[in-house]
Amino acid sequence: MAKDGTHQERLIVGLLAGCGMLSSLQFTLMIPVLPRVPEMLGTTAPDAAWLITITLLVGVVGTPVITRLADMHGRRRLLLTAMALLVTGSLIAAVIPGFIAVMIGRALQGFGTSVVPIGIALMSTQVSRRLAIFGIAVMSGTLGIGSALGLAVAGPLVAWGGLTTIFWVSAAIGTTFFVLILLRIREVPTSRPGSFDVPGAVLLTVGLAALLLAISRGQLWGWTSPTTLWLFAISAAGLWIWLLWELRRPHPMIDVRIAMSSPILPINLASFVATFGMYANHLLTTQEALAPAATGYGVAAAPAAVGLFLLPSALVMVVLAPLTARVITRHGSRFALLLGASIMTAAFLFRMAVHGQPAAIIAGSALVGTGVSFAFASMPSLITASVPRDQVASANGVNSVVRTLSGAVAAALFALLIATLPASGDSAYLSEPALRIAFATAALCGGATILIAAALRLPHPQEPA
């Protein structure tokens, strides 16, 4: 019986981690093929960029809602809902021709963002502590693993079967996972359901949506354009009114007092800067791989070969999952966060000093992936140990929103840097001084994560899963 129980727990961990990987893939699968989308779907380049923005937008505004409902009405139930929406969106984009259908499909795929925080909450109650630490390490790393794999496999998939291939693959894998969840994962009893805070959800949606639109489209519209400035103003007003509303509610959508308390607020700040570093690693690795040799750092790789430069970072996160779990078990999540942030900082300093060779690009990217694996594994464990059990999904949902916003900020700043300091004669790539600035900025993010981790004051010396 014990062996059967262990086998079942391992299956749960593998299944939930696979769901997290699939959801993370959705954010980067479109990026490598975006230049070809106007031709394939008969639209303009600015409109094609909405296929990225809409998924991020729905993920940011949908995750707090779905994770709160999961804590209230059942985590398995809402996990199935999120997977069903992801599969439905994939099928719409694959079956119905035209830009509008793909846009709707990409929007529905954004609900998959909530899979990771719900999966972490399920693991914390359905498997043993030791295996839960390992599972949370893998699950939290799926953001990095999935985003790197999405950049790596999108080009070959589209070259093989066209744009619809990436949607058919997502639909097929998502359907398989949906059936396995139904068959192998049980529902977790919830505590008092309470009432859902509809005004709070609306206010948060308006505030976050306006913020993400301003960040992700500011470069195109102009950072000082009336549209961008109005969106920032709407976001500030919406989030401020939401904060005041939540503080007065007996059953808030997000318990603001807990979210703003120590150590939850510092952990989310650490998540923001560490995630910025992870996305910088993806973006700058792609830049180095594709840039021509005339830039002074590029290796002029073929677009189909970019995956070879990104894949080691993703593989490192998978391979190191058992080690990160062991480090957390023996030394605590705070130590793992410090270790990961230190490795990330050193890796970016190395990349700032050494670039221009394929081996250096691959080694530097893999080193950053090593640091990300430790840092990302530690943060959900820290959050799970620091909030009431009936708020685990929603607290990790907030953390997922923070990571998504960080990725949007990283992409926006990257676009701004290219526009400001392009390579001579080629505005699609950074100049070498700009590349160094980007790596230095990412190293500073690693240093900021170290400082935050060092200042953490935890309720317990060893965080249970």
Side-chain angles (χ1 to χ4, degrees):
M1 292 296 291
K3 288 185 177 180
D4 290 341
T6 302
H7 175 75
Q8 170 68 8
E9 289 185 355
R10 289 176 178 170
L11 189 146
I12 290 172
V13 168
L15 175 56
L16 293 175
C19 292
M21 191 99 57
L22 179 64
S23 70
S24 300
L25 276 171
Q26 308 311 315
F27 292 101
T28 53
L29 271 175
M30 291 296 298
I31 293 176
V33 300
L34 199 60
R36 299 173 56 190
V37 167
E39 177 187 351
M40 290 187 285
L41 295 179
T43 187
T44 64
D47 285 344
W50 278 102
L51 297 180
I52 306 295
T53 304
I54 193 66
T55 310
L56 290 170
L57 182 62
V58 174
V60 164
V61 302
T63 296
V65 174
I66 291 182
T67 52
R68 175 59 181 153
L69 290 172
D71 279 335
M72 291 172 59
H73 301 296
R75 292 162 184 170
R76 175 180 176 270
R77 180 182 302 173
L78 270 296
L79 177 63
L80 287 168
T81 301
M83 291 300 297
L85 289 169
L86 190 156
V87 170
T88 301
S90 301
L91 288 173
I92 289 173
V95 173
I96 304 175
F99 175 75
I100 297 300
V102 176
M103 186 83 161
I104 294 171
R106 289 285 295 165
L108 292 175
Q109 286 180 329
F111 285 104
T113 309
S114 58
V115 166
V116 171
I118 296 174
I120 289 171
L122 279 168
M123 281 186 199
S124 68
T125 58
Q126 296 210 7
V127 302
S128 65
R129 178 183 182 276
R130 182 176 294 275
L131 193 57
I133 291 175
F134 168 75
I136 290 173
V138 176
M139 194 79 181
S140 58
T142 56
L143 176 62
I145 299 166
S147 59
L149 287 178
L151 293 169
V153 305
L157 282 175
V158 173
W160 173 62
L163 183 62
T164 58
T165 306
I166 60 178
F167 300 118
W168 281 118
V169 169
S170 294
I173 297 174
T175 301
T176 303
F177 286 157
F178 183 91
V179 173
L180 289 174
I181 293 168
L182 277 175
L183 296 176
R184 305 310 298 263
I185 296 182
R186 70 183 189 276
E187 184 59 275
V188 177
T190 55
S191 57
R192 296 185 314 238
S195 59
F196 185 73
D197 180 13
V198 175
V202 172
L203 288 168
L204 184 62
T205 296
V206 170
L208 289 177
L211 178 61
L212 184 61
L213 282 173
I215 291 172
S216 60
R217 308 293 288 182
Q219 180 65 29
L220 177 65
W221 294 335
W223 292 107
T224 58
S225 70
T227 301
T228 303
L229 295 177
W230 268 111
L231 284 171
F232 276 124
I234 291 170
S235 173
L239 292 176
W240 178 249
I241 297 170
W242 169 80
L243 178 63
L244 296 177
W245 172 266
E246 294 295 273
L247 288 172
R248 296 167 62 91
R249 291 284 297 174
H251 301 289
M253 180 178 172
I254 295 172
D255 193 325
V256 175
R257 290 182 177 84
I258 291 179
M260 300 295 289
S261 65
S262 180
I264 302 301
L265 180 59
I267 294 168
N268 282 325
L269 290 174
S271 293
F272 186 91
V273 288
T275 303
F276 185 98
M278 184 201 73
Y279 276 106
N281 186 49
H282 294 342
L283 293 168
L284 296 174
T285 298
T286 303
Q287 183 83 175
E288 285 186 279
L290 292 176
T295 59
Y297 63 84
V299 298
V306 171
L308 298 176
F309 293 86
L310 292 164
L311 200 56
S313 176
L315 292 177
V316 160
M317 294 183 210
V318 175
V319 172
L320 287 180
L323 178 60
T324 57
R326 192 173 305 161
V327 168
I328 291 172
T329 301
R330 292 186 178 181
H331 304 288
S333 299
R334 178 173 171 271
F335 176 83
L337 179 57
L338 276 168
L339 177 61
S342 300
I343 295 172
M344 285 178 65
T345 304
F348 280 121
L349 291 174
F350 166 78
R351 298 198 69 178
M352 183 174 65
V354 182
H355 47 261
Q357 298 295 327
I361 298 171
I362 292 172
S365 178
L367 279 172
V368 176
T370 301
V372 168
S373 66
F374 282 99
F376 276 32
S378 65
M379 288 181 284
S381 294
L382 288 166
I383 289 173
T384 301
S386 304
V387 298
R389 189 170 291 273
D390 62 350
Q391 295 187 31
V392 170
S394 54
N396 279 291
V398 172
N399 188 253
S400 289
V401 170
V402 168
R403 296 191 198 190
T404 303
L405 286 173
S406 177
V409 170
L413 290 180
F414 180 72
L416 179 62
L417 193 60
I418 288 182
T420 307
L421 297 170
S424 178
D426 196 335
S427 60
Y429 300 102
L430 293 168
S431 64
E432 187 168 11
L435 184 77
R436 294 180 185 274
I437 291 171
F439 280 131
T441 303
L444 286 174
C445 286
T449 309
I450 292 172
L451 294 176
I452 295 170
L456 277 179
R457 295 294 178 264
L458 304 177
H460 308 290
Q462 187 68 41
E463 304 82 8

